[in-house]
Amino acid sequence: VIFPSTATRTLFGDIYQIAHAVVAPHVEPVLDVRRALQPFVPQDNYVIGVLGAVGREKGADVLEGLAELGKSQNAPFKFKLIGYSYRLLKVVETTGPYKVQDLPELIAQHGVSMILFPAQWPETYSYTLSHALDSGLPIIAPDLGAFSERLSGRANTLLFNHLQSPAELHA
């Protein structure tokens, strides 16, 4: 059985008896997931981007909670969802569906300073994470699933406990 990440192999291996398991990350000939990081530049205001189609399990409700807290406290950041959510999110600018080849341009066009993954459920690999890595921007992601594995040792990266409330994460 071939798994895209050790996290996925571990999850299935804890449930099923698998005689021969192999971890083989997806081949991504177009994206540079080891791209050099852009230098972090302090700003007066930050745009925190979230990428893709965001449902409950991918943290839409957490994103909305963070955006509402930020606005109520006049925080120096705002959230932009480059993609769409399972429902309309308050205080989050949402661009709508996009073509995957347009994502680098959309990240630049919207002035994204860093990329957030508010996921509440493990990813097996995460193609949107590949795009975030290719951007060279700082990344904030939960410490579960393939996120912690793929971001291990990367500078300008913050892993958070996915069980934190939006208020704890905001702080």
Side-chain angles (χ1 to χ4, degrees), residues 99-154:
K99 293 180 181 173
V100 71
Q101 64 267 24
D102 296 337
L103 192 51
E105 183 180 323
L106 288 167
I107 291 169
Q109 176 186 347
H110 289 279
V112 173
S113 312
M114 61 192 71
I115 298 175
L116 168 69
F117 291 89
Q120 300 294 290
W121 189 257
E123 288 277 355
T124 58
Y125 183 75
S126 182
Y127 285 108
T128 52
L129 177 57
S130 296
H131 286 278
L133 289 165
D134 185 56
S135 76
L137 292 170
I139 297 173
I140 304 167
D143 61 353
L144 78 159
F147 290 116
S148 55
E149 181 178 338
R150 294 188 66 203
L151 294 170
S152 176
R154 183 182 186 269

Side-chain angles (χ1 to χ4, degrees), residues 20-74:
H20 301 287
V22 175
V23 175
H26 293 282
V27 176
E28 299 187 80
V30 178
L31 300 173
D32 182 359
V33 296
R34 299 195 194 295
R35 181 174 306 279
L37 299 174
Q38 293 183 21
F40 183 75
V41 179
Q43 302 171 359
D44 291 334
N45 292 290
Y46 297 92
V47 175
I48 301 174
V50 176
L51 311 176
V54 184
R56 281 186 169 150
E57 70 287 351
K58 293 205 179 197
D61 299 331
V62 171
L63 171 58
E64 182 180 62
L66 287 168
E68 289 181 318
L69 279 167
K71 184 175 181 179
S72 72
Q73 296 178 13
N74 293 318

